[in-house]
C-alpha cells in the first residue's frame, strides 16, 4: 500500500520521512505504551485489526468484491483478538505487566486424596513459576519442581537439623520458603518488582514461613557483586526456564561470584529444565574449570513433566 500510494519525486523526501516517523511511533507504542496500558501481549492482534481496517479505508473506491474480502479479514482478525483475550483471562484472577513481561495468577482445582483442591499458580509469559494449594492442610507443601524429591529439595534437606543460609536467584511464588525452619535465613533475589509484589500478595509461602525471609530487588549478579560474602549453605539458581535466559548468570565469571558467597561445603543448585536450550554441557564445562564436584538429577513427574 505504501508503494501504491507514494507521491511523485518532488515529495518523496517528506514521504520517506513520514514512513520513518511511523516506525518510531510504532516502536514507542510497542515498547513503552503497550507494557503500561495493556494487561497482556495483545498488541499483535490489535495491530492486525487496525491494519485490516486501514486496508478497507484505503480501498473504498475499489470494486465491492475487494471490499468484501477485506471486511472478512477484519472480522477474522477481530475474532482472533476476542479469542486471544478469552484464552488469556481464563481462570486468571490477577494480571500484571511491566517491561519484564506479563505475570498471571491463575486459580484452578485438582484432585488430591479423593477431594477437590484449589490451587494458585504463577505464570510468567508461558512459563510456570510456582504453585500453591489454598487449603490450610496443604498450603505449605512443596510443589512442582521444588518437591522433596527434586534436586533443590534434596540439597536443602541434606542440611536438616542445623541452621542454614539459603540464597535463591528467582523468587517466583516463593515456593522454596516451605523448607525454612525458624533458625534459617532465606535470601531471594529478583529483578522484577512485580514478582515480589505478587509473591507477597497472592501467595503465602513467604508469610507462612517461620524462617527469616529477605528479598533483594535488582539484577542478582550485580547485587551479589556489591554485597559482602553471604556464606550461603545452598545457592539455588532458577532463572532459566524461558526461551530468553539471563546468560550473564551462567558464565565462568558468574560462578566465581557465586563461590565467593558460598561456604566451603556449600551447594550451588541450578534448575536447568528448559524447552529450548540444553544447558547441561555449559554447566559441566564451568564446573570442571572451577574444579567442582557435580551431579545431575533428572526427575519425571506424574504428568510426564520433567525437572533437572
Amino acid at each position: 500500500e505504501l508503494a501504491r500510494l507514494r507521491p511523485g519525486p518532488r515529495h518523496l523526501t517528506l514521504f520517506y520521512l513520514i514512513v520513518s516517523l511511523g516506525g518510531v511511533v510504532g516502536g514507542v507504542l510497542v515498547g513503552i505504551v503497550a507494557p503500561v496500558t495493556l494487561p497482556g501481549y495483545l498488541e499483535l492482534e490489535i495491530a492486525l485489526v487496525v491494519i485490516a481496517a486501514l486496508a478497507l479505508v484505503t480501498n473504498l473506491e475499489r470494486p465491492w468484491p475487494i471490499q468484501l474480502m477485506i471486511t472478512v479479514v477484519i472480522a477474522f482478525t477481530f475474532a482472533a483478538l476476542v479469542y486471544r483475550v478469552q484464552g488469556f483471562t481464563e481462570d486468571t484472577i490477577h494480571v500484571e505487566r511491566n517491561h519484564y513481561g506479563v505475570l498471571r495468577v491463575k486459580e484452578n482445582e485438582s484432585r488430591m486424596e479423593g477431594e477437590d483442591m484449589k490451587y494458585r499458580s504463577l505464570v510468567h509469559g508461558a512459563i510456570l513459576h510456582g504453585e500453591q494449594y489454598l487449603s490450610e492442610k496443604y498450603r505449605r507443601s512443596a510443589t512442582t519442581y521444588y518437591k522433596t524429591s527434586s534436586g533443590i529439595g534434596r540439597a536443602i534437606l541434606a542440611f536438616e537439623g542445623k541452621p542454614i543460609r539459603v540464597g535463591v536467584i528467582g523468587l517466583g511464588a516463593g515456593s522454596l520458603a516451605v523448607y525454612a525452619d525458624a533458625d534459617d535465613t532465606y535470601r531471594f533475589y529478583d529483578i522484577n518488582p512485580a514478582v515480589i509484589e505478587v509473591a507477597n500478595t497472592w501467595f503465602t509461602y513467604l508469610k507462612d514461613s517461620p524462617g527469616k525471609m529477605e528479598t533483594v530487588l535488582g539484577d542478582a549478579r550485580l547485587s551479589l557483586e556489591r554485597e559482602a560474602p553471604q556464606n550461603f549453605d545452598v545457592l539455588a539458581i532458577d532463572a532459566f526456564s524461558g526461551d530468553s535466559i539471563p546468560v550473564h548468570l551462567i558464565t565462568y565469571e558468574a560462578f566465581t561470584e557465586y563461590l565467593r558467597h558460598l561456604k566451603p561445603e556449600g551447594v550451588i543448585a541450578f534448575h536447568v529444565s528448559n524447552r529450548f536450550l540444553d544447558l547441561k554441557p555449559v554447566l559441566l564445562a564451568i564446573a570442571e574449570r572451577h574444579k567442582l564436584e557435580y551431579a545431575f538429577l533428572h526427575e519425571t513427574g506424574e504428568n510426564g513433566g520433567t525437572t533437572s
Side-chain angles (χ1 to χ4, degrees):
E1 285 299 307
L2 283 174
R4 188 175 69 86
L5 297 173
R6 69 185 185 277
R10 284 185 57 194
H11 304 286
L12 282 180
T13 300
L14 178 62
F15 172 76
Y16 287 120
L17 178 62
I18 294 175
V19 170
S20 300
L21 181 61
V24 173
V25 172
V28 170
L29 289 175
V30 172
I32 298 177
V33 177
V36 175
T37 59
L38 297 179
Y41 291 122
L42 303 174
E43 46 266 47
L44 174 60
E45 289 82 359
I46 293 174
L48 291 176
V49 174
V50 172
I51 291 171
L54 287 174
L56 180 62
V57 170
T58 57
N59 286 277
L60 288 178
E61 297 179 357
R62 302 188 72 179
W64 70 264
I66 294 178
Q67 297 183 36
L68 177 62
M69 180 183 67
I70 298 176
T71 302
V72 171
V73 172
I74 294 175
F76 179 82
T77 54
F78 185 77
L81 173 60
V82 173
Y83 177 79
R84 179 77 172 90
V85 171
Q86 288 179 342
F88 179 79
T89 56
E90 184 179 9
D91 302 323
T92 299
I93 60 174
H94 177 73
V95 180
E96 193 158 341
R97 180 178 180 180
N98 59 17
H99 295 284
Y100 294 107
V102 178
L103 293 174
R104 288 182 294 160
V105 179
K106 306 188 73 173
E107 196 165 292
N108 301 92
E109 285 190 359
S110 68
R111 197 80 173 164
M112 177 181 285
E113 297 183 358
E115 57 180 314
D116 292 330
M117 303 291 297
K118 283 189 175 182
Y119 67 93
R120 285 179 182 169
S121 55
L122 176 61
V123 180
H124 187 187
I127 305 299
L128 179 66
H129 281 261
E131 290 179 350
Q132 182 179 31
Y133 290 101
L134 300 183
S135 70
E136 184 70 27
K137 182 179 179 180
Y138 293 108
R139 73 180 190 180
R140 291 208 70 239
S141 300
T143 59
T144 61
Y145 40 80
Y146 296 127
K147 292 181 179 179
T148 55
S149 58
S150 66
I152 183 60
R154 296 186 187 190
I156 294 176
L157 291 176
F159 294 90
E160 194 171 18
K162 66 176 184 177
I164 60 173
R165 284 184 61 83
V166 177
V168 183
I169 296 178
L171 172 61
S175 306
L176 279 179
V178 301
Y179 289 101
D181 294 324
D183 49 2
D184 295 338
T185 299
Y186 279 57
R187 189 173 178 84
F188 293 90
Y189 298 85
D190 207 290
I191 197 172
N192 190 345
V195 171
I196 297 177
E197 180 182 346
V198 167
N200 282 285
T201 304
W202 295 94
F203 299 88
T204 64
Y205 284 124
L206 299 178
K207 297 175 185 175
D208 292 343
S209 177
K212 182 181 180 182
M213 299 291 110
E214 301 173 348
T215 55
V216 179
L217 176 62
D219 181 272
R221 180 169 169 179
L222 294 178
S223 297
L224 289 170
E225 287 177 354
R226 298 187 188 108
E227 293 176 349
Q230 293 295 313
N231 294 316
F232 292 130
D233 295 279
V234 178
L235 178 57
I237 303 170
D238 184 13
F240 303 100
S241 300
D243 57 341
S244 180
I245 66 170
V247 178
H248 68 297
L249 296 180
I250 190 170
T251 64
Y252 176 84
E253 293 77 12
F255 261 74
T256 302
E257 197 61 38
Y258 301 153
L259 293 172
R260 185 174 72 87
H261 289 277
L262 203 68
K263 289 182 179 178
E265 301 299 321
V267 177
I268 301 175
F270 263 83
H271 177 206
V272 293
S273 297
N274 192 293
R275 302 177 187 175
F276 312 98
L277 302 169
D278 182 10
L279 300 175
K280 295 188 295 295
V282 179
L283 284 176
L284 175 63
I286 294 173
E288 289 182 340
R289 284 193 63 189
H290 277 286
K291 296 180 172 57
L292 302 175
E293 294 184 10
Y294 53 85
F296 172 70
L297 175 65
H298 180 84
E299 182 182 24
T300 301
E302 296 177 0
N303 60 356
T306 61
T307 60
S308 305

